Amino acid sequence: MRIKVARNSGFCFGVEKAVNKAFEATLQNKENIYSLGPIIHNKQVIGKLIETGLDVVNTIEEIQHGTVIIRSHGVGIDIYDQAELKNLKIIDTTCPFVRRIQNIVKDYYQNGYKIAVIGDPKHPEVIGINGWCKNQALIVQSESDIPEDMDYYDKLCIVVQTTMPLSRFETLSEQLSQRAEHVEKFDTTCFATKERQESAKELALEVDAMVVIGGYNSSNTQKLVDICKRIRPHSTFHIETASSLDPQDFKDFESVGITAGASTPEWIIQDVIKYLNKLNN
Ligand code: SF4
């Protein structure tokens, strides 16, 4: 069985930076280091961080003193104010791609634009972005989220969650644009996501089966699964670690491709490669 790894897969630079900073912080100080939500959507990495002393909390109210790590998804502007009021040290690992969206939203909101965010309203990145326009954004994930009686705006600014497929941005932003006199739209999808999606598609077309590695709750991994399933509906396997692989699933394939979401570390990818190589022997 031939095994091939996608050209672009695994940790993106934003996640890598966040994870490294979190490990650095816990190595320097074992107590009172908190992350606001899990640093990444990967249980195995979070487990290791907790072992080194990180506490994962859901709200800033849970922290009395110490250091708060803001993850790559970013947070609303009010969280910075609350952290300052509590005299917390902030380690900010907001990804530059997300920071760009936050700055656009802040500037255009201040200049009187209605903000529309194309994305998942429950995703922390989108919740954070909304916090840069006083939580007043119109959040649209699919066509059905665009209200039929939507107001007609003088000025509308449209941004998109970093991990959304470009095609979704194009379709929905086109429809939203009909609802305003003057529209500014920004393709704020990130290149790391695009690269991983394109590489997964390329590889799925080349091999008999695809293994997609990444958290079951990771949005960018789920998109890779969807892309691979469209091409290999019966031979795409989504796993978090090698232990979920079933040797029986691979006995009829001559080639297997591997891809991994942006929050999957290299050691988990290597474990899967080793496992599949063992099947070959
Ligand atoms: S997927 Fe993109 S936006 Fe998200 S952390 Fe990675 S580089 Fe940043």
Side-chain angles (χ1 to χ4, degrees):
M1 183 169 68
R2 191 165 57 85
I3 298 161
K4 191 167 177 191
V5 181
R7 232 172 351 104
N8 296 291
S9 64
F11 267 11
C12 61
F13 83 91
V15 165
E16 188 162 28
K17 189 177 110 195
V19 171
N20 288 345
K21 284 201 168 183
F23 274 115
E24 250 171 53
T26 53
L27 285 174
Q28 281 166 12
N29 197 342
K30 290 260 169 280
E31 281 176 8
N32 300 319
I33 308 276
Y34 301 90
S35 79
L36 211 42
I39 293 280
I40 61 171
H41 296 297
N42 185 287
K43 275 193 272 182
Q44 292 70 30
V45 176
I46 295 299
K48 281 189 185 240
L49 279 166
I50 290 173
E51 273 170 33
T52 63
L54 182 80
D55 265 325
V56 182
V57 295
N58 292 317
T59 62
I60 200 125
E61 284 79 28
E62 294 168 64
I63 311 174
Q64 302 316 321
H65 57 272
T67 301
V68 58
I69 304 176
I70 293 172
R71 56 188 172 172
S72 54
H73 292 319
V75 292
I77 206 162
D78 57 313
I79 301 293
Y80 292 90
D81 297 340
Q82 290 177 42
E84 266 174 37
L85 272 177
K86 290 184 156 208
N87 272 328
L88 301 178
K89 182 180 169 203
I90 300 175
I91 296 179
D92 192 351
T93 71
T94 303
C95 176
F97 287 110
V98 178
R99 175 69 78 221
R100 176 174 171 245
I101 305 177
Q102 294 172 343
N103 286 335
I104 292 171
V105 166
K106 182 178 163 222
D107 290 349
Y108 279 83
Y109 183 71
Q110 279 173 355
N111 284 313
Y113 281 73
K114 175 72 184 174
I115 304 293
V117 183
I118 296 170
D120 174 357
K122 294 198 190 99
H123 193 282
E125 178 188 315
V126 175
I127 294 170
I129 291 167
N130 199 11
W132 290 70
C133 59
K134 301 208 166 114
N135 299 313
Q136 294 301 308
L138 170 69
I139 302 173
V140 171
Q141 191 172 11
S142 65
E143 285 180 40
S144 60
D145 294 332
I146 303 178
E148 270 176 29
D149 58 350
M150 182 178 157
D151 288 340
Y152 190 83
Y153 295 99
D154 276 349
K155 301 194 283 187
L156 181 68
C157 167
I158 308 171
V159 293
V160 55
Q161 183 182 344
T162 51
T163 47
M164 278 285 134
L166 189 58
S167 55
R168 180 100 54 103
F169 167 67
E170 283 164 352
T171 314
L172 293 178
S173 65
E174 188 51 44
Q175 291 180 12
L176 286 167
S177 297
Q178 320 284 323
R179 308 300 310 156
E181 186 65 33
H182 178 73
V183 179
E184 292 287 344
K185 54 181 168 182
F186 298 88
D187 169 11
T188 49
T189 53
C190 102
F191 81 89
T193 308
K194 277 181 223 157
E195 277 178 350
R196 273 154 192 70
Q197 292 177 356
E198 275 161 23
S199 302
K201 188 174 170 190
E202 226 171 68
L203 187 56
L205 287 167
E206 188 189 319
V207 294
D208 300 330
M210 283 297 291
V211 174
V212 184
I213 317 165
Y216 296 130
N217 58 345
S218 152
S219 141
N220 77 82
T221 304
Q222 196 50 56
K223 301 232 168 57
L224 294 178
V225 174
D226 295 344
I227 287 167
C228 294
K229 275 199 169 158
R230 249 175 265 143
I231 299 163
R232 302 273 160 236
H234 307 297
S235 55
T236 293
F237 305 94
H238 179 189
I239 57 163
E240 285 192 346
T241 63
S243 62
S244 310
L245 288 169
D246 180 352
Q248 290 303 313
D249 287 335
F250 296 90
K251 61 183 181 2
D252 296 328
F253 300 131
E254 283 181 9
S255 56
V256 175
I258 297 173
T259 185
S263 45
T264 307
E266 188 58 27
W267 54 271
I268 293 186
I269 301 174
Q270 287 305 324
D271 273 356
V272 173
I273 296 172
K274 260 188 235 152
Y275 183 97
L276 291 173
N277 272 328
K278 253 198 228 158
L279 293 185
N280 268 339
N281 298 329

